[in-house]
């Protein structure tokens, strides 16, 4: 069983995966390769002057894999709560998880099929979002939401930041104490 299964490998999903895998949480990312970020050119992503969306997405994936995150390319269809765990169903197989992070961008069908409470979007061109708390919790226990699908502004620095925020809240819950992930520059 995975500690965390993340649906979506855009800035929100992979940013979350970097934190959860680096915190030693067994992490799986399921992605259907439909990220709109792949069509972006980014001149406003703090710290990364002039980078293509595909390069940002691939770099984020490599960072998470470096810390042990696993990636599978598949379409996740829904999450079902069971005795003490969650089952994420995909078009080709299912996965057990303690927690799930929904980071599906503009796509709300996974959340709707899972019976997760949604509401109309408030950002331009975003029809439906998950009704998530400021921490990232959804109406389904142990299921969280991050990025565009959680209603934040649709910009990579913000969706990546939201993925990190939600991951730190989840890790803190698993560890039972507030989590901090700081590395020190070796002198
Ligand atoms: C043309 C264009 C230009 C842009 N330019 C900029 C810019 O200059 N600066 C900027 O900051 N932002 C820009 N953006 C916005 C930015 O790219 C992203 O929209 C934003 O960062 C979204 O991140 P996300 O992780 O929430 O979603 P996404 O990056 O869309 O990732 C969601 C992922 O979830 C996966 N997924 C969805 N449903 C499922 C499912 N059921 N099963 C498995 N996987 C699933 C998708 O395949 C996708 O990979 C631009 C967007 C577009 C379209």
């Amino acid at each position: 069983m995975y500690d965390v299964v993340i649906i979506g490998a855009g800035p929100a999903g992979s940013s979350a995966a970097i934190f959860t895998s680096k915190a030693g949480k067994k992490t799986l990312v399921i992605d259907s390769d439909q990220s709109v970020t792949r069509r972006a050119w980014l001149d406003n992503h703090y710290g990364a002057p002039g980078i293509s969306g595909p390069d940002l997405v691939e770099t984020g994936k490599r960072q998470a894999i470096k810390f042990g995150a696993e990636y599978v390319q598949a379409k996740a269809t829904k999450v079902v709560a069971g005795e003490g765990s969650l089952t994420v169903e995909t078009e080709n197989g299912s996965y057990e998880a303690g927690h799930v992070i929904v980071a599906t961008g503009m796509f709300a069908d996974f959340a709707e099929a899972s019976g997760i409470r949604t509401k109309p979007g408030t950002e331009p061109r975003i029809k439906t979002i998950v009704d998530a708390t400021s921490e990232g919790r959804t109406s389904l226990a142990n299921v969280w939401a991050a990025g565009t699908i959680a209603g934040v502004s649709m910009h990579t620095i913000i969706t990546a930041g939201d993925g990190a925020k939600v991951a730190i809240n989840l890790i803190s819950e698993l560890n039972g104490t507030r989590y901090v992930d700081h590395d020190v520059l070796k002198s």
Side-chain angles (χ1 to χ4, degrees), residues 77-138:
T77 49
K78 65 178 178 182
V79 58
V80 181
E83 285 303 307
S85 74
L86 297 162
T87 302
V88 176
E89 297 177 3
T90 76
E91 287 174 344
N92 37 38
S94 64
Y95 302 89
E96 292 304 299
H99 287 253
V100 168
I101 299 179
V102 181
T104 53
M106 302 171 77
F107 302 96
D109 52 332
F110 175 84
E112 288 163 340
S114 305
I116 293 167
R117 192 170 51 244
T118 61
K119 61 185 181 181
T122 52
E123 292 294 319
R125 298 196 304 277
I126 306 302
K127 188 164 164 293
T128 305
I129 58 173
V130 167
D131 185 2
T133 68
S134 59
E135 285 181 308
R137 295 179 191 279
T138 73

Side-chain angles (χ1 to χ4, degrees), residues 2-76:
Y2 291 92
D3 294 314
V4 186
V5 170
I6 300 171
I7 317 300
S14 284
S15 178
I18 291 168
F19 278 84
T20 56
S21 58
K22 198 161 175 288
K25 308 306 177 190
K26 191 171 164 39
T27 301
L28 172 70
V29 182
I30 301 172
D31 187 72
S32 58
D33 200 22
Q34 305 163 278
S35 174
V36 295
T37 306
R38 290 191 179 282
R39 290 193 279 125
W41 171 259
L42 305 160
D43 266 326
N44 51 12
H45 191 99
Y46 173 83
I51 184 171
S52 74
D55 283 352
L56 186 81
V57 167
E58 285 312 312
T59 304
K61 193 174 169 180
R62 282 200 302 278
Q63 283 176 272
I65 288 170
K66 175 183 164 192
F67 295 110
E70 298 169 38
Y71 281 70
V72 293
Q73 184 162 337
K75 184 161 176 66

